[in-house]
């Protein structure tokens, strides 16, 4: 059997890291039936297309999507981010963004579960009197009980399946007293259903210190969309670098295909030079295989990437090396 995968290399180094991820999957023997989608800033500059509803409808028939990176300096901020990446996350209801972090020396091993469809990313807000000296801009944070609860529930299930069974909620309940209160109550109510999972709470500013000084304290973390965005860049930086940070945008209910992508961006400064680290894309591919039930192939890819110090060389050399090890 063969999985139907939509592949979106995107922009910049996306074109370089995705072929390496596909090369490594091929080396595992798992068979993919891939469909390429030319989307991103470069495509938008050519013909103005970002992502149509017809393409989204087509994707519903796929098993998963693999994305490289999107973003081009010539396109104004927000066009591709909101029109492509966030549209994928929202329209396909990819409500969990799962981002694992492993220290190169194995001293920490934690997973951030970032709520992926709400918060400040929802796009609530607007301008009043724009362009005048009295202009007003508001940007709200949308938090639904349903949205918060399903994400927290996923995090508890994940924590319960791990050895340490520890879950930390990160928020800013001392200042964001409306959203924070909803998160806090939901977290405590769901916690009562998981007596085997020990819990903790950190304010997001304190979590930044712990990420740098004592990341060993974490097992699974659950947090909102914007805190999760910021924290996972920091987590990447303290876990060998952003070049190793992988992610899965998951629809745990499997009512639509999940999407897997490295945490990094399109890196226009190093694009086209065969210099980008393909490991983040390769580990995202491993997560995709595991989500599809190919746990053995996923584990073999992870093992092949474990000795990060040995993964040096050009993009293609690192891809070849990992492929030779799986
Ligand atoms: C990420 C990225 C995106 C986000 C951007 C490109 C919209 O930074 O996946 O972390 O903010 O979610
Ligand atoms: Mn980010």
């Amino acid at each position: 059997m063969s999985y139907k995968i939509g592949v979106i290399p995107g922009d910049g180094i996306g074109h370089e890291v995705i072929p390496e991820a596909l090369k490594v999957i091929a080396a595992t023997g798992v068979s993919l039936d891939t469909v390429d989608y030319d989307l991103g800033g470069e495509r938008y500059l050519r013909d103005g297309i970002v992502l149509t509803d017809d393409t989204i409808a087509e994707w519903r028939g796929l098993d998963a999507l693999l994305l490289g990176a999107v973003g081009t300096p010539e396109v104004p901020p927000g066009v591709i981010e909101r029109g492509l990446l966030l549209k994928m996350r929202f329209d396909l209801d990819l409500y969990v963004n799962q981002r694992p972090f492993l220290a190169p020396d194995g001293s920490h091993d934690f997973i951030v579960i970032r709520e992926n469809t709400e918060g400040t990313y929802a796009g609530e807000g607007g301008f009043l009197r724009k362009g005048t000296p009295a202009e007003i801009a508001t940007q709200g944070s949308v938090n639904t009980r349903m949205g918060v609860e399903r994400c927290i529930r996923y995090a508890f299930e994940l924590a319960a399946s791990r050895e340490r069974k520890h879950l930390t909620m990160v928020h800013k309940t001392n200042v964001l007293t409306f959203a924070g209160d909803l998160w806090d109550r939901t977290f405590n109510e769901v916690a009562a259903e998981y007596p085997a999972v020990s819990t903790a709470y950190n304010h997001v500013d304190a979590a930044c210190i712990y990420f740098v000084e004592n990341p060993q304290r974490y097992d699974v973390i659950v947090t909102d969309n914007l805190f999760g965005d910021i924290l996972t860049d920091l987590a990447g930086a303290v876990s060998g670098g952003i070049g190793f940070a992988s992610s899965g945008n998951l629809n745990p209910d499997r009512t639509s295909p999940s999407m897997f992508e490295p945490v990094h961006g399109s890196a226009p400064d190093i694009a086209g030079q065969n210099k980008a680290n393909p490991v983040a894309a390769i580990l995202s591919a491993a997560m995709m295989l595991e989500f599809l039930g190919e746990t053995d192939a996923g584990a073999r890819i992870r093992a092949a990437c474990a000795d990060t110090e040995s993964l040096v060389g050009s993009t293609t050399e690192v891809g070849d090396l990992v492929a030779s090890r799986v």
Side-chain angles (χ1 to χ4, degrees):
M1 84 166 260
S2 176
Y3 298 98
K4 275 195 83 136
I5 307 297
V7 178
I8 306 146
D11 298 312
I13 61 168
H15 295 289
E16 297 163 64
V17 296
I18 287 299
E20 302 312 312
L22 294 174
K23 183 194 283 178
V24 171
I25 293 177
T28 66
V30 173
S31 159
L32 302 186
D33 174 8
T34 60
V35 193
D36 277 353
Y37 290 89
D38 175 17
L39 296 170
E42 293 158 15
R43 165 77 189 269
Y44 173 73
L45 288 172
R46 272 205 322 277
D47 64 8
I49 288 181
V50 180
L51 173 60
T52 65
D53 289 332
D54 284 350
T55 301
I56 291 265
E58 207 175 295
W59 284 347
R60 292 189 187 279
L62 297 173
D63 292 310
L65 289 144
L66 185 64
L67 184 142
V70 292
T72 319
E74 298 81 42
V75 180
V79 175
I80 304 300
E81 290 85 347
R82 292 214 85 88
L84 177 57
L85 202 55
L86 299 189
K87 187 175 166 65
M88 287 176 85
R89 290 176 182 169
F90 294 177
D91 287 14
L92 297 174
D93 205 21
L94 308 178
Y95 64 84
V96 162
N97 195 325
Q98 180 158 331
R99 298 182 160 182
F101 298 95
L102 188 60
D105 66 359
S107 59
H108 68 253
D109 172 2
F110 64 86
I111 301 180
V112 177
I113 299 301
R114 163 186 177 188
E115 199 292 318
N116 215 27
T117 55
E118 302 192 341
T120 44
Y121 277 67
E124 196 251 359
F127 290 108
L128 265 180
R129 305 193 288 261
K130 190 179 180 187
T132 73
E135 79 174 301
I136 298 167
T138 62
Q139 191 95 46
S141 175
V142 174
N143 297 265
T144 70
R145 170 70 196 217
M146 180 273 290
V148 172
E149 184 172 332
R150 65 184 181 173
C151 174
I152 286 176
R153 218 168 254 292
Y154 179 87
F156 270 102
E157 285 290 330
L158 179 65
S161 75
R162 286 166 62 89
E163 202 184 308
R164 277 178 67 190
K165 304 192 193 319
H166 186 65
L167 178 64
T168 306
M169 184 176 99
V170 173
H171 208 281
K172 186 75 185 176
T173 55
N174 53 343
V175 173
L176 306 183
T177 51
F178 309 127
D181 188 71
L182 175 58
W183 273 80
D184 190 53
R185 273 184 288 121
T186 308
F187 186 76
N188 291 329
E189 283 171 32
V190 177
E193 295 175 38
Y194 293 87
V197 176
S198 62
T199 60
Y201 168 79
N202 294 159
H203 290 318
V204 65
D205 46 354
C208 289
I209 299 176
Y210 299 144
F211 268 40
V212 174
E213 294 190 344
N214 180 220
Q216 299 79 14
R217 69 168 58 218
Y218 295 116
D219 181 21
V220 180
I221 292 170
V222 66
T223 191
D224 94 339
N225 209 338
L226 184 59
F227 296 144
D229 175 49
I230 299 164
L231 279 176
T232 53
D233 268 27
L234 180 57
V238 298
S239 308
I242 200 75
F244 294 97
S246 59
S247 83
N249 297 261
L250 309 180
N251 175 286
D253 311 330
R254 296 176 192 260
T255 53
S256 52
S258 293
M259 186 267 277
F260 300 82
E261 53 165 344
V263 175
H264 65 67
S266 57
D269 53 328
I270 59 158
Q273 298 171 45
N274 198 20
K275 251 162 71 170
N277 185 351
V279 175
I282 292 169
L283 290 173
S284 303
M287 209 191 294
M288 178 177 85
L289 294 186
E290 285 161 351
F291 193 75
L292 292 171
E294 298 288 342
T295 37
D296 176 62
R300 278 159 58 209
I301 297 177
R302 270 178 214 294
C305 294
D307 180 13
T308 52
E309 245 131 78
S310 69
L311 299 175
V312 285
S314 66
T315 309
T316 44
E317 281 166 355
V318 172
D320 288 343
L321 188 62
V322 176
S324 74
R325 287 180 185 167
V326 296

